[in-house]
Amino acid sequence: MKQRLLIWIAAIMLSTCLFPTVGTFQDPSVSCLTSELLELAKQSEFFNWLKTVRRRLHEYPELAFEEHQTSRFIRSQLDSLGIDYSWPVAGTGVVASIGSGSQPWFALRADMDALPVQELVEWEHKSKNDGKMHACGHDAHVTMLLGAAKLLQGHKDKFKGTIKLMFQPGEEAHAGAYHVLKEGVLNQVQAIFGLHVFPYIQTGKVASRPGPMLAGSGRFLAIIKGKGGHAAAPHANRDPVLAAAFTILSLQQIVSRETDPLEAVVVTVGFIEGGQAENVTPETVKFGGTFRSMTSEGLSNIQQRIKEVIENHAAVHRCTATVDFMEEKLRPYPPTVNDKELYEHAKSIAEVLLGPSNVQLLPMGMGAEDFSFYSQIMPAAFFMIGTKNETIKSDGPLHSANFFLDEETLPLGAAFHAAVAISYLNGLIAPA
């Protein structure tokens, strides 16, 4: 029975090699290799290893730039696979290298930090670190990239050049990609590819788009200072609460009255803090929020207007204001823009891997990703990989305490990474 099953699998792989799906790569060798990588990743021994790795990472989440245990675990896995790496990168990051070491270089990236969220999903491998959780799926990202490492190490003879695996720290609000690039470890990379789990589309599907994909984002913190006093004598005070109220309303007009209605822009005030007593005018009011745009120019313009609106409204109400955009602590993220050629390349691989009907066009979104820093300096492609499965309730939103992962996506992501990298290098080097 086992022998018949192996013959049947081999026949399917052979038919895929000889007769690639319509609308996908017409090069049989690409279709064959892609199918082979997926079959290997789906084998029970390989899949069980992926699940073991991911569950170990999920149990011990660490916040941005605190990923010391995570980094050690990644390095131990690379050691066991016989893969060379550089460490530390941007504090806790790891860059592994597979191939000849010679040019061209292609990079695959996975972020590895967790969120300050208390996990509410009750299961055997629930987070053991109180108040910390992989609620954005970075444990899956690391697992898929380690899976790709294992596949690539076994196929070193199938490609020329070098594949760099970037295990990146500090994606969540801390611009880890910026710090990685600042260290120069990816200076010689020709292009980069990344994946993000996505519980809004079914497992077995991927989605992306060419050009602008995700917004650039920044944050601001404002303090309006007035003159406090008894609420019964407002004429003797300078009320920062009133100034803040008018200011927050006016900030909304940056979008509604100053921005082209066809341009995607967000200005959101997320918190406000003032006094604690009902009959006292406080000395100061603090508030802050986020601003977003699909273009770097738009982001810069919004930032300037936020500063002007806050300072001028404070002055109208006889108060003063300071505005901090926290550009060192919480560096703004530029928009994520997919290179059109690399997007088409990855899309074609996905169509071989999953079938054309399972590759979707993703609408632009106002979320932000520090993968955008890579897309500013080299051709980059970023894809979402579906994890939605209502049967196991893996349809909770990202950044939620109820986020749960469908692990069936792990071999798909590992094979997708590896196939994109190998086929890119071989296509780049192949004679015209």
Side-chain angles (χ1 to χ4, degrees):
M1 182 66 183
K2 185 176 180 182
Q3 185 177 9
R4 288 181 182 177
L5 180 61
L6 290 172
I7 293 171
W8 179 71
I9 291 172
I12 291 175
M13 290 176 62
L14 182 61
S15 65
T16 304
C17 296
L18 296 177
F19 307 106
T21 306
V22 175
T24 64
F25 268 109
Q26 296 305 307
D27 182 352
S29 64
V30 174
S31 295
C32 183
L33 178 60
T34 301
S35 300
E36 179 187 340
L37 291 168
L38 181 57
E39 290 300 329
L40 286 171
K42 282 185 170 182
Q43 286 180 1
S44 17
E45 184 179 351
F46 197 110
F47 188 21
N48 288 335
W49 172 73
L50 289 173
K51 288 188 286 189
T52 300
V53 167
R54 185 257 161 174
R55 291 170 183 179
R56 166 65 176 71
L57 290 166
H58 190 83
E59 289 178 352
Y60 298 99
E62 297 171 295
L63 303 182
F65 295 115
E66 298 175 4
E67 311 97 330
H68 301 288
Q69 189 172 353
T70 303
S71 180
R72 279 195 298 272
F73 179 73
I74 291 168
R75 299 195 310 271
S76 72
Q77 293 297 314
L78 294 172
D79 286 335
S80 69
L81 294 170
I83 296 173
D84 293 333
Y85 56 83
S86 299
W87 169 84
V89 176
T92 54
V94 181
V95 179
S97 183
I98 302 174
S100 65
S102 61
Q103 289 290 338
W105 288 7
F106 185 84
L108 300 170
R109 171 267 200 175
D111 41 13
M112 59 187 199
D113 55 324
L115 286 161
V117 172
Q118 182 66 48
E119 183 169 8
L120 296 180
V121 181
E122 294 298 334
W123 69 302
E124 185 181 355
H125 300 284
K126 181 179 179 180
S127 170
K128 293 180 176 11
N129 291 345
D130 193 47
K132 300 173 185 178
M133 177 190 175
H134 273 296
C136 199
H138 295 188
D139 53 339
H141 300 169
V142 171
T143 302
M144 290 187 288
L145 193 52
L146 283 171
K150 192 170 187 175
L151 292 170
L152 292 167
Q153 185 71 343
H155 288 75
K156 287 190 294 185
D157 61 332
K158 299 290 179 67
F159 65 91
K160 297 179 181 178
T162 306
I163 298 171
K164 296 288 183 176
L165 310 178
M166 179 68 244
F167 297 91
Q168 179 210 300
E171 189 279 326
E172 298 291 354
H174 287 78
Y178 168 83
H179 295 284
V180 166
L181 291 170
K182 196 173 179 182
E183 293 195 13
V185 293
L186 300 181
N187 282 354
Q188 299 181 64
V189 169
Q190 271 73 55
I192 189 168
F193 176 76
L195 287 173
H196 200 297
V197 296
F198 203 57
Y200 313 106
I201 60 175
Q202 295 293 328
T203 302
K205 299 179 183 290
V206 297
S208 188
R209 67 179 299 109
M213 176 181 171
L214 296 171
S217 73
R219 303 191 189 195
F220 66 93
L221 175 65
I223 299 175
I224 295 182
K225 180 175 174 57
K227 179 183 176 184
H230 200 291
H235 60 287
N237 308 329
R238 293 196 295 273
D239 191 348
V241 174
L242 188 63
F246 273 92
T247 300
I248 291 169
L249 287 173
S250 293
L251 286 173
Q252 307 312 305
Q253 295 176 21
I254 295 174
V255 177
S256 67
R257 287 296 176 268
E258 298 182 20
T259 305
D260 186 331
L262 300 180
E263 183 180 342
V265 168
V266 169
V267 177
T268 295
V269 175
F271 82 93
I272 181 168
E273 297 175 358
Q276 299 296 318
E278 292 85 352
N279 62 344
V280 175
T281 297
E283 192 80 11
T284 62
V285 169
K286 179 192 296 185
F287 62 92
T290 182
F291 56 101
R292 296 165 186 249
S293 172
M294 294 304 296
T295 68
S296 295
E297 181 183 7
L299 203 66
S300 177
N301 290 340
I302 297 167
Q303 178 172 324
Q304 180 61 32
R305 287 297 292 138
I306 286 172
K307 186 175 190 302
E308 292 171 354
V309 168
I310 293 173
E311 290 178 346
N312 289 332
H313 261 290
V316 166
H317 291 87
R318 301 178 300 145
C319 297
T320 59
T322 58
V323 186
D324 182 5
F325 291 100
M326 301 174 284
E327 291 178 319
E328 287 304 317
K329 182 181 179 183
L330 297 172
R331 181 172 295 277
Y333 288 10
T336 300
V337 181
N338 279 335
D339 176 79
K340 292 181 180 180
E341 288 187 10
L342 187 55
Y343 161 80
E344 290 294 341
H345 170 77
K347 176 173 173 284
S348 296
I349 292 293
E351 288 172 347
V352 173
L353 199 71
L354 305 171
S357 64
N358 291 317
V359 182
Q360 301 179 352
L361 183 66
L362 187 73
M364 288 191 295
M366 300 309 289
E369 234 293 340
D370 80 346
F371 189 81
S372 57
F373 287 99
Y374 302 122
S375 75
Q376 282 197 313
I377 65 168
M378 70 181 80
F382 196 58
F383 272 64
M384 302 299 187
I385 185 165
T387 60
K388 183 177 182 179
N389 183 341
E390 294 89 344
T391 304
I392 62 171
K393 297 183 179 178
S394 65
D395 52 356
L398 296 170
H399 288 217
S400 161
N402 293 303
F403 175 76
F404 190 68
L405 186 86
D406 182 1
E407 293 179 324
E408 294 292 328
T409 199
L410 297 175
L412 307 182
F416 193 14
H417 268 308
V420 166
I422 292 175
S423 57
Y424 178 87
L425 288 179
N426 289 347
L428 195 65
I429 294 172

